[in-house]
Amino acid sequence: MRTFKSNPGGQIDPEQAIGRDALCADCWRKLNQQSLLLRAERRIGKTTIIRKLMASAPTGVRTIFRDVGGSSTTTEFVELVIEDVETMLADKKGFGAGIRKYVSSLAGFEIAGVLKIPETATKQWKVILENCFKEAHRVYQDPLVLFWDELPWMLQKIKSTQGESAAIDLLDTLRGIRQTYKNVRMVYTGSIGLHHVLTALEEKGQTSAPVNDMAHVDVPALETADALKLASELLLGEGIKVDDLPATAQKIQELSGSIAFYIHQIVSQLVPKGTATPAAVEAMVATALNDPNDPWALRHFDTRLVTYYEHQAPWAREILDLLANSVAGQSFEALQKHVGGGSVDRTQLTALLRKMQQDHYLVRNEGNRSYSFLLPLIQRWWRLYRDL
Amino acid sequence: MPPTSLAHFTPSMNDPALLEAVFTAREPLAQQLMSRIADSVDGQTRHYSIIVGPRGAGKTHLVSLLYYRVKRDPVLAEKLRIAWLPEDPWQVGSYALLLKEILLQLDREYGVPGLPTLLDQVIKLTRKADRERAFERALVQFLGDRVLLLVAENLDDILIALKDDGQKKLRALLQTSGRATLLATSTSLLPAITERDKAFYAFFTQYALPPFSLHECVDVLLHIARYTGDTALADFLQLSAGTARVRAIHHIAGGNPRIYVVFYQFLTRETLDELATAFMRLVQELTPYYQGRMQTLSHQQRGIVDVIRRSEGPIAVRDIAKETLSTSQSISSDLARLKNLGYVDSNRVGRESLYELREPLMRICLATKEQRGTTIPLFVEFLRAWFTQSELEQMRGAMPIGSTDGAYYEAAIKESNERQALAQRFERQKIQACLDEADEDLALAYLDRALVRSPNDAWAWDRFTHLLEKRGELATGTDRLTAHVAEFPDDASAWSRLSYFLALHGDSAAALGASSRALDLVPNEPSVLLAHLRLLEYSGQEAQARELAQRAATLPESTEDPTYQLLMGAAASAMENPDAAIDAYSKALLLSPIDAAAWELLGEALARAGRNSQARLLSDVAIEMLPSNARIWRDRSYSLFRVGAYEEGFAAMQKASLLAPNDADIQVGLLMYHVRASRLKEANELAQRLRAKDPAPALESCICEELAHLALIQGDADAARTQLERGIYLFRQSKRFVLPWPVWVVQRSHAPETWRPYVEVWLKVFREHEMLEELAQMLLRPLLRYPHLWLTPDLAANWVATWQSAGADVPELKISLDLMTTVVRFMTTRSRDVLVTLSLEQRSLLEPELQRYLRASGDLVDDVDRNVERLAATLRQRSRAQTGRLRAVERKTMARLDEADVDAFLAPYSDRTVVEPLRPLLFGGWTALTRAEARELLLGLTHTESTLAAVIARGDLRLQKLERRPLINSAWSLYQAHVLLSGRQGAVDFCSNGHETTLVDEANVLLELVHARAIDIRDDAAAEYVGLYSSIVRAEGGRFELADTADPEVSQALAGTATERVPNPRRASDAPDVYVAYLAYFEHLFEARFSLTPEGRIAMTDDQPIGKIPLRAESYDGPIRLWREDNPR
């Protein structure tokens, strides 16, 4: 295996994506039955997992990945899908010719190798999209998996350029395609929660359940052992002099909350120093968490409360304050007693806690049914930030 | 080759060989980035790197260098396709244009088939997304299996042009294709990169390019000189004059490497005319550059920079806001951005942040237009930066009075002084903050910078050398000091410090040489004399030590100077007058209880005198006073060892080791304990680690001693022999080094039959090395030193018998063995009668040793011991008072009064008389403030970090009444705050001039006020000062309170002395500098006499009890005086 190099934010080779084998295997098991919605906080490693999924695709499964975050309209999206499906089925005679012929029949054209849906036909994007998969199914009935990253960004953009109904229509259409063509699977991921986009659309009166057929997979931080392994490999790969590798790796694992991105980040900052000790790691992370310039952009966890929860933001903040110093978590009853001075009713609080789980603030511990911070790193930062 | 061929503003135009030749300091970073690029060509890993630094920081140079290195690497060149976008990407106005530019660059480098056709086709596409997709497709097709290395300078400009949509598209391309790796540069990090909901959040690994340090600046210029073949300049740069020039460039350029290159031409200009002309030309050349930089800022930012530029010195945020007609909040984000961009630096002073321009040259250049033809202020600024202070003064001195050139220098000197003072203040606060937070690396960096700025800054040198010593970086300290004294040969304190470091190194001869140089410069300076005397003793030059001691004794007496007292102690020690030494060291400690050297010297003197119990007692107090001083803990360890408290001693040595893990001396102490306790594994491991660090000979000899014992414990006679021989070798180098004491063997085993093999090893080795006389001494002396604890008379007798048997044929040992027999008899009988049979000479040899033995055994206690016990009690009392004050006041988090709730503090304030108020520190002249006046006074003390604020900020005190009493000859007044602490009546005393304030609860504070000229103790003020001073002193029984002679009980007690109502205190009628005061202490009234020095130090010279006086007793919570609860009287 190649040497590990710290690469926070960069593209990670699937072979070096430590600790995700079980998750990928689970995803493929699920994909056998249904499509997936991958959920995780930013920089947890969703895109790395997608690449690993693609690399570990079972025999006979064709996959394609696209970051759709740059698409602004349904038409653009459809054009990209057609290109991608065409690529996936490049060896299948007839698909490419078929779909292009169809598009051409709409007075669309191709230029510079790019398929262009004509302006007059843009309103027919739904039909075109459905035809694309129809054509695909005609030539190929084995599993096809389309990985679409940053879907929520695209939906937000479509919402702003074409209106809410276009966004919901797109999701519904895709759902329809999944229902119709059983060999087609879709994997959605995104940097913002799809539920926020959907909630916003619901509030505008668009009611549907466009992803209720998809399995929701939460991407967790690494297991401790995997995080330790990653930290050790990176320290060794970077040639950092370490007197006590296990202790230093452990310190990195603890302080990073076993989040691969932060493990990379910490090691990356150790490289110029050339040496590392647990104490040095501790000092570096403490500096980052205490730095008023917020180099790890954690303040966002506070500032977005208003965007996400609006008038309930103060309650959300109170919940986080209550949980900041708690190791074992707090029960629902304990939270209800304190939040909003005890004035928040059960239904509201339940809904808020659910949203906070979806937004990766909290986790509900099934054993004792208590709530706690999902990520210890964020808990620690919150404590410092709020001076608790 | 002339410097302008360096194309100092466009590195990308430079020849690769030149780029490599002048590339310095950042090679590790370049290699790191290269490794990222290499890691991105195989597999699916891709790195996205962004180099962040202000304009001129060297980003383009680095990127250019990497470009050529990649191209030269055949593997990388094959697998990569490089698209290097222009440094100023004006043509990238959209995502499509970005893609087009990438394709064009690739076409220039490699040729992209069909590109012209594509460009024609794309023009026909009306929809933006279509153009983008067309370019994307062409790019991906062109790359095939290869990886794109996209080099994008000023990525911040590109991202701004792309806006959110374009950013997301770029990200989508990178993610989807997975075929690109990025090497970008930016002057700052945009929200697109730093904000969590933006496209490129945490996408890049960031590499900061900090400003060049001075050494890096020298390196750059040296490289340029060598590249251009200018050997004369290269040589000049390595001289102190050249370094001074470089220092000026570094200062004026603010670490901007681009400016260094421009300044290159100035380095050898000498005359003022040449400099002035060249300087103005430079300003003209650089002004457009700086103006261009200003153009990239927003209007508000430009305004802020302009305000900062015009300010005389660093300027606070609120002042900037005032000048720009905005609020602090509204400009704070702009300030942060300007700092990020490298335009400004900020320094924290208390709670304020003060801003100044990072590049002084920028200020000069931007000011040119305002000067409207006059160049004087600019040139003065330049001179101030260009020349050192001493050079300016020298050149001024050489100018005719009234000359224009002289005026230039004069102005530059004045400007330099003012700025230096301010800069120094900020720097010191930063350094202290780092030291408080134990951030030693940063503290060292700041100290290094401070010393570059002010090479003769004693404050900085003290901390710098102390830190280096603590970290064990002795070589660094020695090198720096050596370089410094080469440049400043008249700096006596530098020679002294160098001597200290050389001594630590074990190079006694060199240390003495350096110390002698210091002494030549300041022959009567007590600290220098002390250091030299100690060195002479340390290196075994006893005769010279005695001579110097005699000379020291002739110095004018300075009883209030602790260093003088230490010198007297060392002199007495050299003259073999241990009691006088102990007395002098004790005085030093009373004057300066936190002087670690005083503790060390006194402890050493006590140990030498065999006063081991007193040394141990004193060490108990030492660790209270200086709990974080490693040497104090080390000495404590030894004092415990000497009284047989081995476990406690070991724990103390471990504590010392924790505090100073790099102190080899302490590590050897630990080794000793391990050996004594037969912890063989630990001892061996530690010995190996110590040896691996190449210890100084003095320490090595200690290691040999321990290893010899270790070897003998393990039964390895050969190893023991090796160590003994090594020890002998070192001993021969300097008699100061130790030889192992054979008697320690007895501690290991009490069975005489086990000793013989050891004894034979010693005999053999010492005989072979012809050192039997030294062995004789090593047998006798140690018998009476520490072993008294475990060396019973019987054991001693057996020990002597063993040597007598083994050394029967060794005539050199006979006398010692006879004396040892006498000693054994003494140990048994404790009678001096055993000495009767000895010769006078032998008696005089043994007598002091016997005395020491009796003392160490506790059989001889004298006045010296009792004085030491009193000293310990006094110092302990002071220590506890100090601790209480700190605990009450929490010095670390100094509060401001605006953080304390003043109104809550004033809640019970009343004009009514306070019930049972505590007695004031001085009597008469008090007036009460109204509530409003009190409130105004307290609030007026904002912006002050004050202990008073911290006391109020406690939150549990309430103010009932505030009284004021003006002090004679001073703008300061004494205040008594009548407070309630959880219902208990108390008082807090402070002095204030309305702006500054200080608690008055210890005598040192008053001394500070005198030294700061806040209070003037001439004439009538002297008596008042004596009274105030004495009424603050606290002892076990309470304060030495100034008695209120108007009080009936005091009056009655005084009546017997037939005095009339007299001022208290008053000047003595029989001596000019003596004052008499009536003091109440612990239920007694005293008449005390005090002497007062002009510096404000007071000594009580006599006291007579007059009578009993039933005063109500006080207790103390730090600075707060309270009535004692258990003594209601």
Side-chain angles (χ1 to χ4, degrees), chain A residues 2 6-7 9 11 13 42-43 51 65 67 70 79 83 111 113-116 150 157 238 296, chain B residues 32 36 39 43-47 125 127 130 133 137 165 169 171 175-176 194 196 198 201-202:
Chain A
R2 284 164 48 221
S6 59
N7 188 7
Q11 184 175 308
D13 191 307
R42 265 204 104 163
R43 303 282 83 180
R51 291 193 194 282
F65 164 73
D67 181 322
E79 286 166 351
E83 274 186 30
I111 187 161
V114 171
L115 182 73
K116 179 167 166 44
E150 305 300 357
K157 195 68 194 172
E238 292 286 8
W296 287 5
Chain B
Q32 196 178 351
R36 265 63 188 154
D39 198 38
Q44 290 189 45
T45 296
R46 305 284 178 257
H47 289 265
L125 291 170
R127 206 175 62 166
D130 296 331
R133 279 183 32 234
R137 197 180 171 102
D165 276 357
K169 286 178 178 168
R171 185 179 187 276
Q175 295 281 69
T176 303
T194 59
R196 212 170 178 89
K198 298 291 190 232
Y201 165 68

Side-chain angles (χ1 to χ4, degrees), chain B residues 664-870:
Chain B
D665 194 52
I666 290 169
Q667 296 304 309
V668 171
L670 277 177
L671 177 61
M672 178 198 76
Y673 276 103
H674 287 319
V675 171
R676 296 282 175 270
S678 295
R679 286 189 286 267
L680 307 182
K681 180 170 174 288
E682 289 85 342
N684 270 317
E685 284 172 1
L686 180 54
Q688 276 175 24
R689 281 203 299 276
L690 284 169
R691 274 263 163 87
K693 289 183 185 172
D694 194 22
L699 281 177
E700 209 203 326
S701 73
C702 298
I703 297 171
C704 288
E705 180 183 18
E706 298 306 329
L707 289 180
H709 289 123
L710 191 61
L712 288 169
I713 292 165
Q714 292 172 308
D716 189 343
D718 286 338
R721 189 196 164 93
T722 307
Q723 296 305 327
L724 285 175
E725 285 181 336
R726 179 72 186 156
I728 287 170
Y729 166 75
L730 292 167
F731 180 76
R732 284 197 167 132
Q733 286 190 329
S734 167
K735 291 210 169 14
R736 180 64 180 84
F737 299 158
V738 300
L739 285 168
W741 285 354
V743 74
W744 286 116
V745 165
V746 179
Q747 194 196 24
R748 307 269 355 103
S749 164
H750 292 185
E753 59 274 14
T754 62
W755 303 338
R756 186 65 183 244
Y758 303 144
V759 169
E760 283 175 359
V761 168
W762 253 287
L763 270 175
K764 192 164 183 227
V765 171
F766 278 76
R767 195 199 306 261
E768 283 172 11
H769 288 272
E770 295 174 359
M771 289 182 68
L772 288 169
E773 289 198 8
E774 283 82 2
L775 178 60
Q777 286 188 24
M778 283 157 58
L779 291 180
L780 174 63
R781 190 163 273 186
L783 211 59
L784 290 164
R785 292 288 176 98
Y786 312 133
H788 67 279
L789 296 164
W790 43 265
L791 190 66
T792 62
D794 286 343
L795 277 176
N798 285 330
W799 176 244
V800 172
T802 306
W803 276 96
Q804 281 171 334
S805 164
D809 61 343
V810 183
E812 291 89 342
L813 297 185
K814 186 176 183 325
I815 296 175
S816 268
L817 289 173
D818 287 345
L819 288 174
M820 282 165 76
T821 306
T822 306
V823 165
V824 170
R825 288 210 324 265
F826 174 81
M827 286 165 81
T828 310
T829 64
R830 299 294 177 114
S831 166
R832 278 187 170 71
D833 293 344
V834 305
L835 301 178
V836 160
T837 54
L838 299 178
S839 70
L840 197 63
E841 192 190 340
Q842 288 172 338
R843 272 210 299 279
S844 67
L845 182 68
L846 262 192
E847 183 67 58
E849 299 295 329
L850 295 183
Q851 275 227 317
R852 200 175 282 122
Y853 178 81
L854 289 173
R855 271 205 208 97
S857 312
D859 291 344
L860 187 63
V861 178
D862 59 13
D863 282 343
V864 174
D865 296 317
R866 284 186 276 274
N867 287 339
V868 170
E869 284 163 20
R870 271 199 287 275

Side-chain angles (χ1 to χ4, degrees), chain B residues 6 37 360 404 443 452 483 503 523 547 594 618 906 1097:
Chain B
L6 292 167
I37 294 171
T404 309
V452 164
E547 196 183 312
I594 55 169
L618 221 50
L906 283 163
R1097 289 194 186 272

Side-chain angles (χ1 to χ4, degrees), chain B residues 1101-1119:
Chain B
T1101 55
D1102 193 16
D1103 60 275
Q1104 293 289 335
I1106 296 175
K1108 265 194 99 134
I1109 178 165
L1111 281 183
R1112 190 169 176 185
E1114 292 179 352
S1115 66
Y1116 307 102
D1117 178 354

Side-chain angles (χ1 to χ4, degrees), chain A residues 119-134:
Chain A
E119 294 297 333
T120 50
T122 52
K123 289 195 167 68
Q124 299 181 47
W125 60 266
K126 239 190 280 189
V127 173
I128 296 169
L129 185 60
E130 284 162 354
N131 264 293
C132 168
F133 283 95
K134 185 176 169 189

